[in-house]
Amino acid sequence: MSAAPPLHVLSIASLFPDATRPNFGVFVERSLLEAARQPGVDLTIVAPIGVPVWPLSLHPRYREFAEVPQVEQWKGVTVYRPRFTIWPGTGGRFASQHMAKAILDLLQKLSAPSVDIIDAQFFYPDGPAAIIVGKALKRPVSIKARGSDIAYWGHQPATAQQINEAGHQADGLLAVSAALKTDMTALGMAEDQIKVHHSGLDADHFKPRARADAKAALGLSGTVISTVGALIPLKGQEIIIRALPLLPDISYVLAGVGADKERLAAIAEEVGVADRVRFAGAVPHKDIPMLLAASDAMILVSEREGLANAWLEALACGTPIVISNVGGAGEIAPGSDAVQIVERTPEAVAAAVKHLRAHPPLPDTTSAMVHARFSWQKNARELVAHWRKLAGL
C-alpha cells in the first residue's frame, strides 16, 4: 500500500484549551490531535485569543491570558495563539475580521508555511475568518458547525450575514448532527455541501465502573444526578434545581464553572435544597468519568446544543441521560430507554429521573450502544478524508 501523500492543514480553532482553561474545547482538541496522528497529516493549529480594548483588557478574565504563550508545543502539535481585538457592545460584528488579520500577520511572520487547506473548527468567528485567510492564500476552506455558532450567532443581526456568506463561500461544510445540518440549510446553505461529522469518544477513558465504588470514591451516597457543563443559563441547571423538591432524596452535583453559580446557589436556598446540591467546580476532564459513573443519571436540559459530548460520555460510562429536545438529541441512541428526551420543565425532569430510577438501563448495554457508533479514531479518519477531498489529495 502506498503512503498517503502529505497533507498540510492550517486549523483555526478558537475553541481550544490552554493553561488557563484546561477544560475549554477539549472535544476540539481531541478531534484535532487524533487527526494529527493520521498518516501524512501535517497539522498546524491556530487558536486565536480575543482580548478587548483597554481598559477592559485589565479585567481578570482577560489579564490571565498574558501568561499564555504565543506559540507552544501542545501535546505534540504546534499551537499558535495570536491575540486579536474584540470590541464589546458591537455584537461580535468585527471579530472575524480582526481574527483573520491576526492570523495573516502571524503567517507573514512565519514566511507563509506550506498549506493545502484551511480548516475552521467553529462557525463564528472562525468560519468567516477562515474564508478571508483562504482567499489570501488561495486555498480551499472547510468550516465546521457545532451548535450555538448556528443557533445563536447565525441569527444575530451583527453576525448572521457573515455566517451565511461564509457558508456559501466555503468549499466544504461539516455539522456535528443531522439536526444541525437541517438548521444550516434553513439559513440558506447548500444541503449537498454539508457533511454530518459526529463527535468521538475515548473508549479507554469513558467506560462503566461499579457505581457504588465510584460514589464512595467521591464521597457520595444514595441516588445521584449530575450535570457536566458550564454554569450559564442556557445549560438549564436552574430547571434541575427546581426539580429537586419533587425528588426529595436525590443529590445533585454540578461539574463546571461560570457566572451563574451565585444565582444557582441562591435558587437552591430558595427552594430548600441547598443541602443536596454540590458545586464541584472545574472538574478536570480526566476525572469526569468517575463522576459520570457515580451518577444514576446525567441531566443536561440545554436551550441549544449540536451534539453534546457530555451526552456521549455519560452513556459511554453506562449512565443514562435526561436531555432536552435540541440538536442531535434524537440521533445518538434512537429508541433507547437510556436517553430520556424531555421538555425543559422541572416536572418533566423529575418524571424522567423517577422513570430511570424505577427502570435503570443496564450500564454495559448502554455503554456498548454508543461505543459501537462513536470513536475519536473514526472521527479523525472522516475529518482527514474530508480535508483530502477538498484539497484534491
Side-chain angles (χ1 to χ4, degrees), residues 69 115 127 243 277 320:
V115 175
V277 175

Side-chain angles (χ1 to χ4, degrees), residues 7 16 35 48 84 91 136 138 164 176-177 183 217 223 226 249-250 267 287 302 308 323 328 330 370 379:
L7 174 69
F16 198 85
F84 67 98
K138 297 182 173 58
N164 195 282
V176 296
S177 67
D183 292 342
T223 302
S226 65
D249 56 348
I250 290 179
I267 292 170
D287 296 333
S302 306
I323 60 178
V370 289
N379 174 279

Side-chain angles (χ1 to χ4, degrees), residues 6-12 40-46 107 113-121 130-131 133-135 137-143 170-174 382-393:
L7 174 69
H8 304 282
V9 182
L10 178 70
S11 185
I12 301 171
V41 174
D42 174 30
L43 176 65
T44 298
I45 299 172
V46 181
L107 294 178
S114 178
V115 175
D116 294 312
I117 184 168
I118 312 297
D119 167 65
Q121 284 290 313
I131 295 294
V133 174
K135 287 180 178 178
L137 300 184
K138 297 182 173 58
R139 292 294 184 270
V141 174
S142 169
I143 304 175
D171 298 275
L173 300 170
L174 297 173
E382 292 175 349
L383 181 58
V384 172
H386 170 75
W387 286 340
R388 287 192 177 279
K389 181 179 179 181
L390 295 185
L393 297 172

Side-chain angles (χ1 to χ4, degrees), residues 32-364:
L32 290 179
L33 294 184
E34 193 63 45
R37 298 188 184 103
Q38 299 299 301
V41 174
D42 174 30
L43 176 65
T44 298
I45 299 172
V46 181
I49 295 176
V51 179
V53 293
W54 186 90
L56 293 176
S57 58
L58 300 178
H59 189 281
R61 176 184 174 188
Y62 301 105
R63 195 169 58 231
E64 63 183 1
F65 290 151
E67 304 300 319
V68 177
Q70 296 274 347
V71 58
E72 63 181 319
Q73 288 297 307
W74 184 271
K75 302 182 180 180
V77 176
T78 302
V79 178
Y80 294 92
R81 304 183 189 275
R83 275 51 167 180
F84 67 98
T85 303
I86 55 178
W87 294 83
T90 63
R93 184 183 305 276
F94 306 109
S96 287
Q97 295 93 316
H98 287 290
M99 178 185 283
K101 182 180 185 305
I103 295 169
L104 290 172
D105 288 347
L106 168 67
L107 294 178
Q108 187 173 29
K109 293 176 184 176
L110 298 176
S111 301
S114 178
V115 175
D116 294 312
I117 184 168
I118 312 297
D119 167 65
Q121 284 290 313
F122 195 64
F123 222 105
Y124 195 83
D126 307 29
I131 295 294
I132 296 171
V133 174
K135 287 180 178 178
L137 300 184
K138 297 182 173 58
R139 292 294 184 270
V141 174
S142 169
I143 304 175
K144 184 163 187 174
R146 294 186 174 275
S148 62
D149 43 4
I150 297 298
Y152 180 77
W153 295 110
H155 297 274
Q156 295 302 300
T159 56
Q161 183 176 346
Q162 294 182 58
I163 287 177
N164 195 282
E165 290 177 353
H168 282 89
Q169 295 175 39
D171 298 275
L173 300 170
L174 297 173
V176 296
S177 67
L180 185 56
K181 176 177 178 176
T182 298
D183 292 342
M184 294 163 72
T185 58
L187 291 179
M189 299 180 201
E191 183 178 2
D192 59 359
Q193 285 286 93
I194 308 169
K195 176 181 174 60
V196 175
H197 183 227
H198 285 140
S199 193
L201 268 175
D202 186 332
D204 294 327
H205 203 43
F206 293 93
K207 57 187 178 182
R209 293 167 169 81
R211 187 152 290 149
D213 293 346
K215 287 179 181 178
L218 298 178
L220 299 169
S221 61
T223 302
V224 176
I225 59 176
S226 65
T227 296
V228 177
L231 304 185
I232 52 179
L234 71 85
K235 292 294 183 180
Q237 291 96 337
E238 175 182 350
I239 296 169
I240 303 164
I241 291 173
R242 293 192 182 279
L244 288 178
L246 304 173
L247 303 166
D249 56 348
I250 290 179
S251 301
Y252 179 34
V253 180
L254 297 84
V257 296
D260 214 25
K261 179 182 177 181
E262 290 185 7
R263 188 180 73 87
L264 292 171
I267 292 170
E269 290 281 358
E270 171 196 329
V271 300
V273 298
D275 60 327
R276 295 191 281 128
V277 175
R278 178 193 290 191
F279 291 92
V283 178
H285 195 245
K286 65 181 179 62
D287 296 333
I288 291 294
M290 186 65 76
L291 172 60
L292 292 174
S295 303
D296 295 277
M298 197 287 292
I299 309 179
L300 189 61
V301 283
S302 306
E303 181 181 329
R304 55 181 182 268
E305 294 283 356
L307 195 151
N309 276 71
W311 301 346
L312 302 180
E313 291 170 352
L315 293 169
C317 290
T319 300
I321 60 176
V322 179
I323 60 178
S324 46
N325 191 17
V326 293
E331 299 172 38
I332 49 176
S336 171
D337 204 44
V339 180
Q340 297 286 310
I341 301 175
V342 301
E343 296 294 325
R344 300 183 72 242
T345 67
E347 294 77 14
V349 168
V353 172
K354 290 176 181 177
H355 173 81
L356 289 172
R357 193 177 189 183
H359 308 282
L362 295 173
D364 287 342

